[in-house]
Amino acid sequence: TTQLGKLRAKNGHPTPYNVRYFVLGNEMWNNVLDQGLSYEQVASQHVAFAKAMKVADPTIKIGFNLADDSLPYELFKPGFLELERTKAGLDFNDQILSRIKGYFDFVTYHIYADLATEGDGRESGWLTSGEWKLVMSQTYFYEKYKSYERRLEIAKKYNPDVEVVSDEYSGPLANLGGALFAADHIMHLLEKNYDGYGGYWNSGLFEPFTKFGLIQVL
C-alpha cells in the first residue's frame, strides 16, 4: 500500500522481501577518523534510526559494522601502528558500542585478505609467493590468535546475546586463488559457528579498477 511497496510490485515482486537484518552505516570509522564526525554524532544517528525501525517492526535485527581489531599488531604492515589515524581509531569499537548499548542485536566484520601484505603485487595483478602464503594462511592466524573469540568478546561486553556476522569478505585477487580463499574462509566460519551467516562483497562490481572479489570486471 505504500509508494515503494507499489514500486516493488510493479517491478515483479508483489510480496514483501521480509528483510530481517539491517546494518546501519558502513565502515563508520572512516567518517570519524577522516571526515570529522564525533563518536556521539555517529552513535546518536544509529540510536535514532534503531528506535524508529524497532517501532515499525520489533522483530527485525539491527547491526553495526565494527573495525576488525582481532589480529596481533605485529602482523600489520610496517609503520601501520605509527600512523596517527591508526592510533586514533584503536578504541573505535569500545567507543561506539558503549554509546549504542541496547540498540544493536548483531555486529559485522569485514575480512580482506591483503591486510598484512604490502599490496604492490596486488596492484600489478599478482601476489608474490610470500604474500600468497600469508593470504592463504589467514584462517590459521585467526584460529591461532583466537581472533574470532576476540570479536565476540568485545561485542558481548555490551550485548550478551549478540550475533557476529561477516558481511564483507574477499579473496586477494579476482582469480581462482582468490575464489578458493573466500570459499574456504566463509565455509570455515559457518562450520565453526563463529558467524551467523556470511554475506559477499565484490567491490569490482562497483569499482572496475580494483581486483578484489571473486569476479573480475573487464
Side-chain angles (χ1 to χ4, degrees):
T1 59
T2 66
Q3 180 180 355
L4 291 179
K6 292 175 182 176
L7 180 60
R8 182 193 66 237
K10 181 181 178 181
N11 288 333
H13 204 286
T15 59
Y17 287 107
N18 291 319
V19 177
R20 314 312 306 161
Y21 285 71
F22 295 85
V23 184
L24 302 185
N26 180 60
E27 298 191 354
M28 294 303 293
W29 56 84
N30 290 319
N31 300 83
V32 172
L33 302 179
D34 296 332
Q35 299 174 19
L37 286 183
S38 66
Y39 288 114
E40 288 74 17
Q41 287 173 309
V42 173
S44 65
Q45 286 292 293
H46 176 98
V47 171
F49 275 88
K51 283 182 176 180
M53 293 171 73
K54 288 284 190 175
V55 168
D57 185 351
T59 68
I60 63 174
K61 304 288 187 180
I62 300 294
F64 191 90
N65 177 215
L66 296 179
D68 187 4
D69 185 21
S70 62
L71 286 172
Y73 293 154
E74 57 263 29
L75 294 182
F76 289 157
K77 298 177 184 179
F80 183 72
L81 288 177
E82 281 66 49
L83 297 175
E84 291 303 317
R85 184 182 188 277
T86 304
K87 295 177 182 177
L90 286 178
D91 62 346
F92 175 84
N93 294 341
D94 275 307
Q95 291 280 4
I96 288 294
L97 293 183
S98 62
R99 289 170 167 81
I100 65 172
K101 184 178 180 180
Y103 296 98
F104 72 95
D105 304 295
F106 67 101
V107 296
T108 76
Y109 289 97
H110 296 172
I111 304 169
Y112 286 105
D114 75 332
L115 175 65
T117 67
E118 288 303 314
D120 293 337
R122 172 169 56 83
E123 293 171 3
S124 63
W126 297 96
L127 292 175
T128 67
S129 60
E131 288 174 327
W132 265 113
K133 290 177 182 178
L134 181 60
V135 164
M136 299 305 286
S137 61
Q138 283 201 42
T139 297
Y140 164 77
F141 287 141
Y142 279 119
E143 289 283 359
K144 178 178 179 179
Y145 297 108
K146 300 187 181 299
S147 297
Y148 303 111
E149 289 83 351
R150 289 181 63 184
R151 291 176 178 175
L152 186 59
E153 181 182 8
I154 184 173
K156 276 185 171 290
K157 288 165 54 179
Y158 304 99
N159 179 358
D161 300 317
V162 72
E163 292 181 81
V164 177
V165 173
S166 291
D167 60 343
E168 286 190 27
Y169 64 94
S170 178
L173 286 174
N175 58 20
L176 179 58
L180 289 174
F181 167 83
D184 178 73
H185 193 76
I186 202 66
M187 288 171 63
H188 177 75
L189 291 175
L190 297 175
E191 181 182 277
K192 294 284 189 176
N193 291 318
Y194 288 128
D195 290 2
Y197 67 87
Y200 170 59
W201 165 258
N202 173 16
S203 59
L205 180 64
F206 304 101
E207 303 166 7
F209 54 85
T210 70
K211 293 186 178 296
F212 277 130
L214 300 184
I215 302 172
Q216 184 172 3
V217 179
L218 302 177

